[in-house]
């Protein structure tokens, strides 16, 4: 996935200003594709220069007025092209897993507290996703669009469930290893 496509998706859902996009990234798209305020504004400029989006006309003078953007037909076509294109999965790159592998060689000092911290972070993220699911995906929201959005959220829930289960198992391994050392 790329930032331009994430922005096109968000703008097709709702024309927005750069600030509104940043807020929406923080609340939804940012859970699986993050971007800073500066990155979003830089990309909006590129998308506009490429003729994929345009600034909405303003009824007020432009000076000091926030600009809102909408997707043009060329932007919709680009997003449809990208959506239909095949992409291979990305290889997993996780520093925690690499640190565990290194710990097998240099020792585990200091690693267990960080595993507990990671477990807490993943539990909190899982709880947040589950709250979003309860709030936003009631049984009456069954349109094809809602089902696809829910599918994305379910991926987040399933990933956080995996990490909480795996970290719980890893901490048990640490406890058993410590018990065998004495």
């Amino acid at each position: 996935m790329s930032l331009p496509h994430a922005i096109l998706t968000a703008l097709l859902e709702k024309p927005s200003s750069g600030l509104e996009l940043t807020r929406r990234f923080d609340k939804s798209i940012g859970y699986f594709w993050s971007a800073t305020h500066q990155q979003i504004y830089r990309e909006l400029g590129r998308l506009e220069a490429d003729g994929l989006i345009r600034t909405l006309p303003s009824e007020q003078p432009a000076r000091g007025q926030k600009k809102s953007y909408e997707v043009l037909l060329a932007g919709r076509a680009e997003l449809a092209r990208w959506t239909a294109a095949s992409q291979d999965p990305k290889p997993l790159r996780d520093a925690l897993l690499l640190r565990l592998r290194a710990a097998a060689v240099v020792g585990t000092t200091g690693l267990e507290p960080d595993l507990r911290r990671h477990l807490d972070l993943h539990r909190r993220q899982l709880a947040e996703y589950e709250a979003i699911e309860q709030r936003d995906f009631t049984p009456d929201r069954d349109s094809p669009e809602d089902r696809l959005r829910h599918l994305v959220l379910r991926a987040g829930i399933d990933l956080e469930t995996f990490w909480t289960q795996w970290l719980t198992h890893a901490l048990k391994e640490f406890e058993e290893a410590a018990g065998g050392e004495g």
Side-chain angles (χ1 to χ4, degrees):
M1 179 184 216
S2 67
L3 181 56
H5 298 103
I7 290 173
L8 288 171
T9 299
L11 288 175
L12 277 170
E13 290 173 343
K14 180 182 176 194
S16 306
S17 69
L19 180 58
E20 291 165 337
L21 278 173
T22 299
R23 289 180 180 148
R24 288 174 56 209
F25 265 71
D26 290 344
K27 292 180 181 176
S28 62
I29 292 174
Y31 287 124
F32 55 90
W33 191 265
S34 62
T36 66
H37 186 73
Q38 293 84 3
Q39 289 171 317
I40 290 172
Y41 272 95
R42 198 169 32 247
E43 200 56 52
L44 283 169
R46 286 187 195 121
L47 290 168
E48 190 170 28
D50 291 344
L52 302 179
I53 65 171
R54 74 175 182 125
T55 304
L56 287 171
S58 176
E59 297 174 10
Q60 309 260 331
R63 187 170 176 85
Q65 181 77 9
K66 67 179 179 181
K67 294 195 283 187
S68 288
Y69 299 89
E70 72 177 353
V71 177
L72 298 171
L73 288 176
R76 181 179 283 276
E78 167 54 22
L79 188 59
R81 181 211 59 78
W82 178 78
T83 301
S86 176
Q87 288 186 342
D88 291 336
K90 299 278 185 214
L92 177 63
R93 291 177 53 162
D94 190 283
L96 180 62
L97 297 177
L98 183 58
R99 289 172 55 216
L100 279 171
R101 180 70 184 252
V105 182
V106 299
T108 62
T109 303
L111 197 51
E112 185 177 354
D114 202 38
L115 287 174
R116 291 188 189 288
R117 186 180 69 82
H118 276 253
L119 178 58
D120 182 56
L121 292 170
H122 285 288
R123 282 180 174 156
R124 282 191 268 154
Q125 189 64 63
L126 177 59
E128 186 173 343
Y129 286 162
E130 288 172 337
I132 291 169
E133 183 178 44
Q134 291 295 313
R135 181 190 70 221
D136 294 346
F137 294 99
T138 55
D140 62 314
R141 291 195 59 185
D142 199 34
S143 71
E145 295 84 4
D146 285 332
R147 292 178 77 164
L148 288 174
R149 289 182 185 109
H150 191 198
L151 190 60
V152 172
L153 179 61
R154 283 300 322 170
I157 290 170
D158 292 347
L159 284 169
E160 294 303 328
T161 299
F162 161 78
W163 280 112
T164 57
Q165 291 172 347
W166 182 85
L167 285 159
T168 299
H169 176 78
L171 286 163
K172 285 180 184 173
E173 290 289 329
F174 266 72
E175 288 172 17
E176 288 177 16
E181 290 176 7

